[in-house]
Amino acid sequence: MSRIIGEIGGTKKGPLIILIGGLHGNELTGIKAINKVFNKIREDNLEICGKIIGLEGNKKAIEKKERYLDYDLNRCWTDEHIQHLNESKHIFAEDEEVLELNSIFEELSSYESTKKVCVDLHTTSSDNGNFIVVPEITSDDPVINALKLPLILDLEKHIKGTLLKYLTKKGYLAFAFEGGLIGSEVAVELHTAGIWEILLSSGAVSPDHVNGTMQIGTLLQTFAAELPHKLRVRHHYWITEEDNFRMKPGYLNFQKVKAGEVIAHDRNGPIQIPMDGMIFMPLYQRSGNDGFFVVEELDPLR
């Protein structure tokens, strides 16, 4: 099975848009959304400026519908790790995944474009999971603003080896686009609308050639209704498999929490929130090392 979901190059110069779904193998809505967009482009014979390419992330994990098999494919993107893989025997399932994806990035590095964009499509294990994770330095980019979703800043400072941090250093406007609850059709809808907005705002497609652009913008704004605009990560609670970490049920992304509030338990007992803020990405699945984050709002609602 090919890693490339679709690839369309236009005759006019424009942006390079890379869309990645399934970097976590149990998060498949991004792949469905990418397929929907490519099918629509082909059906309507839309004129493309630049190049659009859709990729599957962790193919082996996708086949088993697991977040990852040996290690998290969104926690390994460092120059040191890639150099190690190039110089050593590959023993883990994700080793080849990293090298195959990186070879595509390297091949595309020579493509002449007006802008380089990489969108890493994800979903979360808690509801209200509609947001953009982006480095602060690129958070005011017109493509980011066009999505109208909450912005999470500084997450890459708390998590080592994210794809967005790796590609940002290589000159991409790189960001994670969280579409909602894992496996939900609503997340497919949001990811699809978001991809169209990215293509429009980057100049890859013309608004004159796409029907319903106003509905796309309205849909995105509806998903973000009453959610905070811009937030910064203040605390990261990191866990291991041996911790037997268990979130208390019912916590949603951006739900307000108070310092001292018991939010989870592990083998050592209750876990308290260290500060006032909002809960972010509480872990409600079997795998993963990020128990939860605490974020604070920077800007009022738009």
Side-chain angles (χ1 to χ4, degrees), residues 21 25 53 63 87 118 128 130 182 187 195 198 254 257 259-260:
I53 182 168
E63 290 172 4
E87 296 174 352
C118 182
N128 271 5
N130 314 314
I182 291 176
I195 292 171
I198 290 162
F254 309 123
V257 289

Side-chain angles (χ1 to χ4, degrees), residues 76-94:
C76 60
W77 290 96
T78 65
D79 292 332
E80 295 79 10
H81 182 65
I82 292 171
Q83 182 178 347
H84 168 73
L85 293 182
N86 282 321
E87 296 174 352
S88 63
K89 184 179 179 181
H90 306 150
I91 59 175
F92 297 114
E94 275 73 21

Side-chain angles (χ1 to χ4, degrees), residues 52-202:
I52 308 168
I53 182 168
L55 302 174
E56 288 190 353
N58 194 334
K59 287 175 54 180
K60 295 184 182 72
I62 289 169
E63 290 172 4
K64 297 185 179 297
K65 296 182 179 179
E66 297 283 349
R67 181 179 172 92
Y68 56 84
L69 301 185
D70 291 322
Y71 60 81
D72 193 326
L73 199 59
N74 202 26
R75 302 292 186 272
C76 60
W77 290 96
T78 65
D79 292 332
E80 295 79 10
H81 182 65
I82 292 171
Q83 182 178 347
H84 168 73
L85 293 182
N86 282 321
E87 296 174 352
S88 63
K89 184 179 179 181
H90 306 150
I91 59 175
F92 297 114
E94 275 73 21
D95 291 351
E96 291 292 342
E97 307 285 338
V98 174
L99 291 176
E100 285 184 18
L101 282 167
N102 195 55
S103 68
I104 293 173
F105 300 144
E106 289 182 345
E107 184 178 340
L108 290 170
S109 65
S110 61
Y111 181 79
E112 292 187 11
S113 61
T114 56
K115 188 188 196 81
K116 295 194 295 183
V117 180
C118 182
V119 188
D120 183 12
L121 300 160
H122 285 275
T123 45
T124 69
S125 61
S126 177
D127 217 341
N128 271 5
N130 314 314
F131 52 86
I132 302 299
V133 178
V134 61
E136 185 168 11
I137 191 172
T138 55
S139 62
D140 289 327
D141 190 277
V143 173
I144 300 295
N145 289 331
L147 291 167
K148 303 177 177 66
L149 294 172
L151 305 182
I152 310 297
L153 310 181
D154 287 352
L155 186 65
E156 78 281 358
K157 296 178 182 178
H158 295 263
I159 300 177
K160 183 180 179 181
T162 61
L163 181 62
L164 76 87
K165 186 173 183 179
Y166 179 74
L167 289 180
T168 296
K169 291 196 307 182
K170 294 186 178 296
Y172 281 81
L173 171 63
F175 56 96
F177 178 2
E178 301 278 354
L181 193 63
I182 291 176
S184 67
E185 286 304 312
V186 172
V188 178
E189 187 180 0
L190 181 60
H191 271 150
T192 302
I195 292 171
W196 280 115
E197 195 63 71
I198 290 162
L199 298 182
L200 287 163
S201 59
S202 66

